[in-house]
Amino acid sequence: IRLSSEAIEFIVTRLIKTFGYSAILFVGLIFYFLWSNGIAALGEVSIADLFSIRWYPIESYYGILPLIGGSLVVTFGAALVAVPIGIATAVFISEIAPRWAREVLKPLVEVLGGLPSVVLGFLGIQLLSPFLRQALNLPTGLTALAGSLLLGGIAIPTIVSVAEDALDTVPNSYRQAALALGATEWQTIWNVTLPAAKTGVLTAVMLGIGRSLGETMAVMMVTGNAPVMPLQLNSLFRPIRTMTATIASEMGEVASGSQHYEVLFFIGIILFLLSLVINVSASLVSTRSRGRAERLLS
């Protein structure tokens, strides 16, 4: 049976809409699953106990603040490492590197982004943690700093790949016009190319931060897994525990329907909401940037 072009267009359009709506449906179902299993924790554990600073489930202490603080410290540290290095590398590959170097570096970055996190965690235990322990004279190298550096390395390929693609979409006429007006190559990159690709670069940063926030295996292997509240600056050089590591290490050992089980799902809700806030914030900033650019062009 031969279909007309109108029928094919109708079928393809419907399929695209169905797949788009299904993505929203899947996210909603995930949140409903987390909510239905985790919201009961608010009835089983008081708010004061739930948001306290002691996590010791064996004695029914379910304070999740050390876990939230550990995740935020590691994610913020990873962002400090990954964002400048990732954007600078993307600029180098897209704007400065010769063609032969770009053809080598781009596939290499994508290969690095595909490495399993457990392999990177193993390298962190064997190489990074002993190095930090000796270089900084620490009692142990399994610290928040090790987790931040490792997660920063994990996020860099994501930032580089997405930001480099965004820089490639900037029309070459922008660069030629800036150079024709007497701008140097660096002035063109900083004042023309990067602002034009700001939306894509911001998306790259948000994806990198989201990757750091949601990473489990690697951070569980190198942070020491000590649920201690990071209240001081030197907490960066001490063991901590993240929310993802807590869920991964304890979910397989709890009884279904127990307080511990419900609190772990409640932690999952918090992780989901944090990721949602990051993505919505990036979307809002991108929309405002796009609207501002359209007003300038009009």
Side-chain angles (χ1 to χ4, degrees), residues 167-187:
L167 291 169
D168 278 346
T169 62
V170 177
N172 197 41
S173 58
Y174 287 19
R175 303 176 180 86
Q176 294 175 351
L179 294 173
L181 291 173
T184 63
E185 184 177 7
W186 170 246
Q187 290 173 334

PDB file of all heavy atoms in Angstrom, residues 167-187:
ATOM      1  N   LEU A 167      28.615  26.330  19.982  1.00  0.00           N
ATOM      2  CA  LEU A 167      29.506  27.296  19.334  1.00  0.00           C
ATOM      3  C   LEU A 167      29.557  27.075  17.827  1.00  0.00           C
ATOM      4  O   LEU A 167      29.691  28.030  17.055  1.00  0.00           O
ATOM      5  CB  LEU A 167      30.912  27.179  19.932  1.00  0.00           C
ATOM      6  CG  LEU A 167      31.060  27.650  21.384  1.00  0.00           C
ATOM      7  CD1 LEU A 167      32.408  27.241  21.937  1.00  0.00           C
ATOM      8  CD2 LEU A 167      30.889  29.154  21.478  1.00  0.00           C
ATOM      9  N   ASP A 168      29.437  25.830  17.398  1.00  0.00           N
ATOM     10  CA  ASP A 168      29.450  25.539  15.965  1.00  0.00           C
ATOM     11  C   ASP A 168      28.227  26.091  15.244  1.00  0.00           C
ATOM     12  O   ASP A 168      28.267  26.319  14.029  1.00  0.00           O
ATOM     13  CB  ASP A 168      29.545  24.022  15.734  1.00  0.00           C
ATOM     14  CG  ASP A 168      30.976  23.523  15.837  1.00  0.00           C
ATOM     15  OD1 ASP A 168      31.895  24.359  15.819  1.00  0.00           O
ATOM     16  OD2 ASP A 168      31.175  22.296  15.947  1.00  0.00           O
ATOM     17  N   THR A 169      27.120  26.256  15.972  1.00  0.00           N
ATOM     18  CA  THR A 169      25.901  26.757  15.342  1.00  0.00           C
ATOM     19  C   THR A 169      25.925  28.269  15.115  1.00  0.00           C
ATOM     20  O   THR A 169      25.049  28.788  14.421  1.00  0.00           O
ATOM     21  CB  THR A 169      24.678  26.400  16.199  1.00  0.00           C
ATOM     22  OG1 THR A 169      24.790  27.032  17.486  1.00  0.00           O
ATOM     23  CG2 THR A 169      24.555  24.888  16.385  1.00  0.00           C
ATOM     24  N   VAL A 170      26.889  28.963  15.707  1.00  0.00           N
ATOM     25  CA  VAL A 170      26.995  30.410  15.483  1.00  0.00           C
ATOM     26  C   VAL A 170      27.422  30.662  14.045  1.00  0.00           C
ATOM     27  O   VAL A 170      28.430  30.111  13.590  1.00  0.00           O
ATOM     28  CB  VAL A 170      28.003  31.043  16.468  1.00  0.00           C
ATOM     29  CG1 VAL A 170      28.152  32.536  16.186  1.00  0.00           C
ATOM     30  CG2 VAL A 170      27.572  30.805  17.902  1.00  0.00           C
ATOM     31  N   PRO A 171      26.682  31.452  13.275  1.00  0.00           N
ATOM     32  CA  PRO A 171      27.045  31.704  11.875  1.00  0.00           C
ATOM     33  C   PRO A 171      28.448  32.293  11.746  1.00  0.00           C
ATOM     34  O   PRO A 171      28.851  33.157  12.533  1.00  0.00           O
ATOM     35  CB  PRO A 171      25.979  32.704  11.401  1.00  0.00           C
ATOM     36  CG  PRO A 171      24.824  32.500  12.332  1.00  0.00           C
ATOM     37  CD  PRO A 171      25.425  32.134  13.653  1.00  0.00           C
ATOM     38  N   ASN A 172      29.171  31.852  10.764  1.00  0.00           N
ATOM     39  CA  ASN A 172      30.534  32.343  10.544  1.00  0.00           C
ATOM     40  C   ASN A 172      30.555  33.817  10.161  1.00  0.00           C
ATOM     41  O   ASN A 172      31.569  34.497  10.340  1.00  0.00           O
ATOM     42  CB  ASN A 172      31.209  31.502   9.461  1.00  0.00           C
ATOM     43  CG  ASN A 172      32.711  31.658   9.469  1.00  0.00           C
ATOM     44  OD1 ASN A 172      33.331  31.708  10.533  1.00  0.00           O
ATOM     45  ND2 ASN A 172      33.307  31.755   8.289  1.00  0.00           N
ATOM     46  N   SER A 173      29.433  34.323   9.661  1.00  0.00           N
ATOM     47  CA  SER A 173      29.368  35.741   9.290  1.00  0.00           C
ATOM     48  C   SER A 173      29.539  36.635  10.512  1.00  0.00           C
ATOM     49  O   SER A 173      30.041  37.759  10.394  1.00  0.00           O
ATOM     50  CB  SER A 173      28.032  36.034   8.597  1.00  0.00           C
ATOM     51  OG  SER A 173      26.941  35.700   9.446  1.00  0.00           O
ATOM     52  N   TYR A 174      29.130  36.157  11.699  1.00  0.00           N
ATOM     53  CA  TYR A 174      29.321  36.939  12.924  1.00  0.00           C
ATOM     54  C   TYR A 174      30.805  37.166  13.182  1.00  0.00           C
ATOM     55  O   TYR A 174      31.238  38.273  13.512  1.00  0.00           O
ATOM     56  CB  TYR A 174      28.705  36.211  14.118  1.00  0.00           C
ATOM     57  CG  TYR A 174      27.193  36.217  14.168  1.00  0.00           C
ATOM     58  CD1 TYR A 174      26.426  36.490  13.036  1.00  0.00           C
ATOM     59  CD2 TYR A 174      26.518  35.923  15.343  1.00  0.00           C
ATOM     60  CE1 TYR A 174      25.052  36.477  13.077  1.00  0.00           C
ATOM     61  CE2 TYR A 174      25.127  35.906  15.402  1.00  0.00           C
ATOM     62  CZ  TYR A 174      24.407  36.187  14.257  1.00  0.00           C
ATOM     63  OH  TYR A 174      23.043  36.168  14.305  1.00  0.00           O
ATOM     64  N   ARG A 175      31.571  36.092  13.029  1.00  0.00           N
ATOM     65  CA  ARG A 175      33.012  36.191  13.276  1.00  0.00           C
ATOM     66  C   ARG A 175      33.671  37.086  12.226  1.00  0.00           C
ATOM     67  O   ARG A 175      34.515  37.932  12.554  1.00  0.00           O
ATOM     68  CB  ARG A 175      33.637  34.802  13.248  1.00  0.00           C
ATOM     69  CG  ARG A 175      33.031  33.809  14.246  1.00  0.00           C
ATOM     70  CD  ARG A 175      33.664  32.422  14.079  1.00  0.00           C
ATOM     71  NE  ARG A 175      33.126  31.451  15.002  1.00  0.00           N
ATOM     72  CZ  ARG A 175      32.037  30.732  14.784  1.00  0.00           C
ATOM     73  NH1 ARG A 175      31.365  30.893  13.651  1.00  0.00           N
ATOM     74  NH2 ARG A 175      31.610  29.849  15.684  1.00  0.00           N
ATOM     75  N   GLN A 176      33.304  36.917  10.974  1.00  0.00           N
ATOM     76  CA  GLN A 176      33.897  37.713   9.905  1.00  0.00           C
ATOM     77  C   GLN A 176      33.579  39.198  10.063  1.00  0.00           C
ATOM     78  O   GLN A 176      34.435  40.056   9.825  1.00  0.00           O
ATOM     79  CB  GLN A 176      33.390  37.198   8.552  1.00  0.00           C
ATOM     80  CG  GLN A 176      33.860  35.795   8.217  1.00  0.00           C
ATOM     81  CD  GLN A 176      33.247  35.269   6.935  1.00  0.00           C
ATOM     82  OE1 GLN A 176      32.343  35.881   6.365  1.00  0.00           O
ATOM     83  NE2 GLN A 176      33.729  34.107   6.477  1.00  0.00           N
ATOM     84  N   ALA A 177      32.350  39.480  10.504  1.00  0.00           N
ATOM     85  CA  ALA A 177      31.978  40.887  10.705  1.00  0.00           C
ATOM     86  C   ALA A 177      32.781  41.506  11.839  1.00  0.00           C
ATOM     87  O   ALA A 177      33.250  42.654  11.730  1.00  0.00           O
ATOM     88  CB  ALA A 177      30.481  40.977  11.003  1.00  0.00           C
ATOM     89  N   ALA A 178      32.971  40.766  12.917  1.00  0.00           N
ATOM     90  CA  ALA A 178      33.746  41.294  14.047  1.00  0.00           C
ATOM     91  C   ALA A 178      35.197  41.514  13.656  1.00  0.00           C
ATOM     92  O   ALA A 178      35.801  42.540  13.994  1.00  0.00           O
ATOM     93  CB  ALA A 178      33.657  40.330  15.232  1.00  0.00           C
ATOM     94  N   LEU A 179      35.777  40.560  12.936  1.00  0.00           N
ATOM     95  CA  LEU A 179      37.165  40.715  12.493  1.00  0.00           C
ATOM     96  C   LEU A 179      37.306  41.871  11.511  1.00  0.00           C
ATOM     97  O   LEU A 179      38.316  42.595  11.526  1.00  0.00           O
ATOM     98  CB  LEU A 179      37.658  39.406  11.863  1.00  0.00           C
ATOM     99  CG  LEU A 179      37.772  38.204  12.812  1.00  0.00           C
ATOM    100  CD1 LEU A 179      38.093  36.932  12.018  1.00  0.00           C
ATOM    101  CD2 LEU A 179      38.848  38.449  13.861  1.00  0.00           C
ATOM    102  N   ALA A 180      36.293  42.049  10.666  1.00  0.00           N
ATOM    103  CA  ALA A 180      36.345  43.151   9.700  1.00  0.00           C
ATOM    104  C   ALA A 180      36.293  44.507  10.386  1.00  0.00           C
ATOM    105  O   ALA A 180      36.830  45.499   9.869  1.00  0.00           O
ATOM    106  CB  ALA A 180      35.193  43.022   8.705  1.00  0.00           C
ATOM    107  N   LEU A 181      35.676  44.558  11.563  1.00  0.00           N
ATOM    108  CA  LEU A 181      35.601  45.808  12.313  1.00  0.00           C
ATOM    109  C   LEU A 181      36.850  46.075  13.133  1.00  0.00           C
ATOM    110  O   LEU A 181      36.929  47.090  13.842  1.00  0.00           O
ATOM    111  CB  LEU A 181      34.376  45.790  13.235  1.00  0.00           C
ATOM    112  CG  LEU A 181      33.015  45.861  12.531  1.00  0.00           C
ATOM    113  CD1 LEU A 181      31.889  45.668  13.535  1.00  0.00           C
ATOM    114  CD2 LEU A 181      32.854  47.197  11.805  1.00  0.00           C
ATOM    115  N   GLY A 182      37.819  45.187  13.072  1.00  0.00           N
ATOM    116  CA  GLY A 182      39.087  45.396  13.752  1.00  0.00           C
ATOM    117  C   GLY A 182      39.241  44.647  15.063  1.00  0.00           C
ATOM    118  O   GLY A 182      40.238  44.843  15.767  1.00  0.00           O
ATOM    119  N   ALA A 183      38.293  43.795  15.420  1.00  0.00           N
ATOM    120  CA  ALA A 183      38.400  43.026  16.654  1.00  0.00           C
ATOM    121  C   ALA A 183      39.453  41.934  16.502  1.00  0.00           C
ATOM    122  O   ALA A 183      39.656  41.384  15.418  1.00  0.00           O
ATOM    123  CB  ALA A 183      37.053  42.393  17.010  1.00  0.00           C
ATOM    124  N   THR A 184      40.134  41.642  17.597  1.00  0.00           N
ATOM    125  CA  THR A 184      41.086  40.545  17.593  1.00  0.00           C
ATOM    126  C   THR A 184      40.332  39.214  17.682  1.00  0.00           C
ATOM    127  O   THR A 184      39.122  39.173  17.901  1.00  0.00           O
ATOM    128  CB  THR A 184      42.055  40.657  18.771  1.00  0.00           C
ATOM    129  OG1 THR A 184      41.311  40.540  19.993  1.00  0.00           O
ATOM    130  CG2 THR A 184      42.782  41.996  18.749  1.00  0.00           C
ATOM    131  N   GLU A 185      41.079  38.129  17.517  1.00  0.00           N
ATOM    132  CA  GLU A 185      40.445  36.817  17.580  1.00  0.00           C
ATOM    133  C   GLU A 185      39.837  36.583  18.973  1.00  0.00           C
ATOM    134  O   GLU A 185      38.724  36.053  19.085  1.00  0.00           O
ATOM    135  CB  GLU A 185      41.465  35.725  17.252  1.00  0.00           C
ATOM    136  CG  GLU A 185      40.858  34.325  17.208  1.00  0.00           C
ATOM    137  CD  GLU A 185      41.877  33.266  16.809  1.00  0.00           C
ATOM    138  OE1 GLU A 185      43.077  33.616  16.698  1.00  0.00           O
ATOM    139  OE2 GLU A 185      41.475  32.110  16.627  1.00  0.00           O
ATOM    140  N   TRP A 186      40.554  36.956  20.033  1.00  0.00           N
ATOM    141  CA  TRP A 186      40.031  36.772  21.372  1.00  0.00           C
ATOM    142  C   TRP A 186      38.814  37.656  21.621  1.00  0.00           C
ATOM    143  O   TRP A 186      37.834  37.235  22.242  1.00  0.00           O
ATOM    144  CB  TRP A 186      41.109  37.059  22.406  1.00  0.00           C
ATOM    145  CG  TRP A 186      40.578  37.129  23.799  1.00  0.00           C
ATOM    146  CD1 TRP A 186      40.533  38.215  24.617  1.00  0.00           C
ATOM    147  CD2 TRP A 186      39.960  36.062  24.541  1.00  0.00           C
ATOM    148  NE1 TRP A 186      39.944  37.902  25.811  1.00  0.00           N
ATOM    149  CE2 TRP A 186      39.583  36.580  25.797  1.00  0.00           C
ATOM    150  CE3 TRP A 186      39.703  34.720  24.252  1.00  0.00           C
ATOM    151  CZ2 TRP A 186      38.960  35.821  26.764  1.00  0.00           C
ATOM    152  CZ3 TRP A 186      39.081  33.956  25.227  1.00  0.00           C
ATOM    153  CH2 TRP A 186      38.719  34.497  26.461  1.00  0.00           C
ATOM    154  N   GLN A 187      38.850  38.913  21.163  1.00  0.00           N
ATOM    155  CA  GLN A 187      37.698  39.798  21.324  1.00  0.00           C
ATOM    156  C   GLN A 187      36.480  39.251  20.583  1.00  0.00           C
ATOM    157  O   GLN A 187      35.349  39.366  21.061  1.00  0.00           O
ATOM    158  CB  GLN A 187      38.040  41.196  20.819  1.00  0.00           C
ATOM    159  CG  GLN A 187      39.029  41.942  21.695  1.00  0.00           C
ATOM    160  CD  GLN A 187      39.491  43.258  21.083  1.00  0.00           C
ATOM    161  OE1 GLN A 187      39.474  43.415  19.860  1.00  0.00           O
ATOM    162  NE2 GLN A 187      39.916  44.198  21.920  1.00  0.00           N
TER     163      GLN A 187
END
